[in-house]
Amino acid sequence: MATSQEVQERLRALGYYNGKIDGDLGPASRTAIVEALKGVAAVAQPAPLPDYSAVSDSIKTLLSKQPKASRLINEIIVHCTATPEGRAVSVDTIRGWHKAQGWKDIGYHYVVLLDGTVQAGRPEAEIGSHVAGHNTGTLGVVYVGGVAADGKTPKDTRTPAQKAALLAIVNGLIAKYPAVKKVTGHNQYAAKACPSFDVRKDALGQLI
């Protein structure tokens, strides 16, 4: 257990105490302890979820136009396009990439553009092609970006609009498919950086 003097020294090092280091935990020391505890409590509080209410209506409209999948959907998997920060990429461009690889369509079910616009990709009713071995019971959502301007360094490049839109589309899908039990990232199933952040530590991972 730390001595009173050591407590004062630690409080001073943290910037909470400016009094004498004399081992006397008087009013000044007690005030410093209270302020330090407040700081710890603030750090311990989870970050508030970004506000995605502004885009919820458009997401609901988009989802309502998509026929519901008849297969069991129990997971939403998040991806990035692995394109440089700030570079615009369309659904048609991604579809072209995937078809060039011999796929029948774009592999993702939804694409979140730089400005937060969400566009439909492969129909929900069809099994996607986004995570090997984990396509049947999942839906894939991708955001444009995920790589720094150098074109190779993984980076969480999501704009505020993209973060809000990702929350909105994933939350909407959870409401549409009550069997969904988790939201994950591609990097949880493959040795890849995609989606260039840890979904488990992100607001997306707090939706369920």
Side-chain angles (χ1 to χ4, degrees):
M1 182 179 293
T3 66
S4 298
Q5 187 170 338
E6 288 173 334
V7 169
Q8 288 177 323
E9 290 174 344
R10 293 176 187 178
L11 288 170
R12 174 174 286 182
L14 292 170
Y16 291 106
Y17 180 67
N18 295 315
K20 293 181 179 180
I21 306 298
D22 55 9
D24 179 14
L25 297 183
S29 296
R30 290 196 293 272
T31 297
I33 292 172
V34 170
E35 291 303 312
L37 289 174
K38 286 181 180 178
V40 171
V43 171
Q45 292 296 319
L49 294 177
D51 179 22
Y52 55 87
S53 58
V55 292
S56 292
D57 288 342
S58 62
I59 295 298
K60 289 178 182 177
T61 300
L62 178 64
L63 290 174
S64 69
K65 294 179 179 179
Q66 294 295 311
K68 191 173 182 180
S70 59
R71 68 190 187 282
L72 179 67
I73 301 297
N74 53 27
E75 182 177 359
I76 309 298
I77 302 180
V78 181
H79 301 261
C80 69
T81 57
T83 50
E85 182 173 12
R87 178 183 294 178
V89 175
S90 69
V91 171
D92 287 339
T93 297
I94 302 171
R95 180 174 280 114
W97 294 341
H98 290 181
K99 283 190 171 183
Q101 296 181 52
W103 302 0
K104 66 177 183 178
D105 194 3
I106 183 174
Y108 313 112
H109 295 93
Y110 290 96
V111 179
V112 180
L113 306 183
L114 294 176
D115 65 357
T117 299
V118 180
Q119 295 184 337
R122 185 176 297 204
E124 294 171 22
E126 297 182 12
I127 296 175
S129 183
H130 53 102
V131 179
H134 298 274
N135 288 310
T136 303
T138 67
L139 292 173
V141 178
V142 65
Y143 77 93
V144 173
V147 176
D150 62 12
K152 58 184 179 180
T153 305
K155 179 182 179 182
D156 181 359
T157 63
R158 291 175 296 167
T159 64
Q162 283 181 308
K163 288 184 178 181
L166 276 167
L167 282 166
I169 184 63
V170 172
N171 196 53
L173 289 170
I174 291 170
K176 189 172 183 178
Y177 297 95
V180 171
K181 300 300 181 186
K182 57 183 176 178
V183 180
T184 58
H186 190 181
N187 50 14
Q188 291 174 236
Y189 295 110
K192 298 175 178 284
C194 176
S196 297
F197 66 93
D198 190 342
V199 171
R200 293 167 293 187
K201 298 178 180 179
D202 189 78
L204 289 165
Q206 299 175 34
L207 292 176
I208 297 181

